[in-house]
């Protein structure tokens, strides 16, 4: 598969991330041509400085990794991340409110979409497929699309399971073409990445981007 690097958001979200990890991440993104990098909110400012004027999307996370923060907290986190230089926000939606049968997740996501779009930024929503049935994944996709989000993302990487090919297909069948899909969680090989893209993923979130691109060049 040609240009697989244009799908990859090289990611580092481990708790023990240090400044040299961020430097290495940006160097790899420049060297391999990744579409973006995903970093903890604490490191957004540094990552922005390291990126300089390189064409790399700077992505960070909000409400991470469990999503049950108050909406006001998520709004503040989002505004702060944008101020610090983030281009894209990956928010963990309120799985707890969704499971409780509340309409709140849609209200929350619409608020966050407005914040992002007012600043011409992109909002991705992590629905954490590991905790959802197929029926719930379909409902989640419809809810996200109605709230005006830009992408729906499978996983935080902190749940028992990550992206599954069948879930990507299901998401693609139930999202309008204007809403993208980000597959993430457990994607470590070139073969896995290709399967996710063929199933309908527009972005791949992984900490194995270097290995994936190097394998693609051998293909």
């Amino acid at each position: 598969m040609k240009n697989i690097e244009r799908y990859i958001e090289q990611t580092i979200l481990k708790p023990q991330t240090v400044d040299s990890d961020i430097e290495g991440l940006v160097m790899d993104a420049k060297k391999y041509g990744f579409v973006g990098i995903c970093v903890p909110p604490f490191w957004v400012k540094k990552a922005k400085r390291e990126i300089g004027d390189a064409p790399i999307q700077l992505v960070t996370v909000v409400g991470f990794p469990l999503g049950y923060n108050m909406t006001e907290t998520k709004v503040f986190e989002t505004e702060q991340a944008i101020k610090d230089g983030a281009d894209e926000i990956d928010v963990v939606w309120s799985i707890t409110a969704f499971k409780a049968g509340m309409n709140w997740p849609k209200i929350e996501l619409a608020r966050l979409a407005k914040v992002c779009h007012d600043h011409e930024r992109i909002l991705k929503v992590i629905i954490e497929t590991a905790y959802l049935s197929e029926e719930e994944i379909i409902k989640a996709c419809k809810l996200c699309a109605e709230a005006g989000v830009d992408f729906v993302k499978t996983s935080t990487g902190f749940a028992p399971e990550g992206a599954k090919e069948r879930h990507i297909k299901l998401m693609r069948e139930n999202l309008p073409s204007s809403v993208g899909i980000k597959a993430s969680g457990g994607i470590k090989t070139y073969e896995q990445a290709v399967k996710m893209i063929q199933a309908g993923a527009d972005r791949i979130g992984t900490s194995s981007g270097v290995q994936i691109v190097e394998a693609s060049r051998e293909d």
Side-chain angles (χ1 to χ4, degrees):
M1 185 170 191
K2 282 184 182 169
N3 303 329
I4 198 165
E5 63 275 9
R6 300 312 296 158
Y7 288 87
I8 292 174
E9 289 178 28
Q10 179 75 338
T11 300
I12 190 158
L13 293 169
K14 61 183 184 186
Q16 64 272 43
T17 301
V18 294
D19 47 358
S20 58
D21 293 323
I22 304 299
E23 289 158 15
L25 193 70
V26 175
M27 277 167 62
D28 286 342
K30 288 177 178 175
K31 181 178 174 185
Y32 290 94
F34 299 134
V35 70
I37 60 167
C38 185
V39 304
F42 185 82
W43 292 109
V44 168
K45 277 185 179 173
K46 178 172 177 63
K48 187 72 176 171
R49 287 195 302 271
E50 297 289 331
I51 288 169
D53 56 7
I56 299 163
Q57 290 292 100
L58 178 50
V59 187
T60 194
V61 290
V62 161
F64 196 86
L66 301 172
Y68 48 31
N69 320 49
M70 293 297 289
T71 300
E72 293 81 358
T73 308
K74 289 181 181 176
V75 168
F76 177 80
E77 278 190 277
T78 300
E79 288 171 341
Q80 187 64 45
I82 291 168
K83 201 184 292 180
D84 289 344
D87 300 303
E88 304 185 7
I89 302 295
D90 288 14
V91 66
V92 185
W93 79 325
S94 186
I95 305 161
T96 189
F98 176 73
K99 290 279 189 182
M102 298 165 77
N103 192 41
W104 191 253
K106 188 168 163 184
I107 296 165
E108 176 175 281
L109 294 177
R111 277 183 69 182
L112 293 169
K114 185 175 186 325
V115 173
C116 287
H117 298 157
D118 282 352
H119 291 90
E120 298 179 343
R121 300 298 194 269
I122 285 172
L123 179 66
K124 305 198 208 80
V125 177
I126 306 169
I127 59 171
E128 202 69 283
T129 49
Y131 300 135
L132 305 177
S133 67
E134 295 203 343
E135 192 182 323
E136 286 174 323
I137 290 171
I138 292 167
K139 274 176 76 175
C141 285
K142 299 206 159 136
L143 185 153
C144 286
E146 286 166 9
V149 315
D150 301 295
F151 284 78
V152 181
K153 175 177 169 181
T154 58
S155 321
T156 58
F158 286 73
E161 291 180 332
K164 295 261 183 290
E165 202 182 334
R166 72 177 191 277
H167 290 157
I168 301 292
K169 284 182 177 158
L170 187 66
M171 289 162 72
R172 189 65 284 161
E173 286 161 13
N174 289 282
L175 283 168
S177 58
S178 57
V179 180
I181 294 171
K182 179 174 170 182
S184 61
I187 303 169
K188 297 194 182 326
T189 68
Y190 169 62
E191 292 74 20
Q192 279 178 301
V194 169
K195 280 183 179 167
M196 297 297 171
I197 293 163
Q198 287 170 344
D202 304 283
R203 295 275 188 94
I204 300 290
T206 179
S207 53
S208 305
V210 171
Q211 297 89 318
I212 290 169
V213 173
E214 286 184 342
S216 78
R217 290 172 182 172
E218 292 160 13
D219 192 39

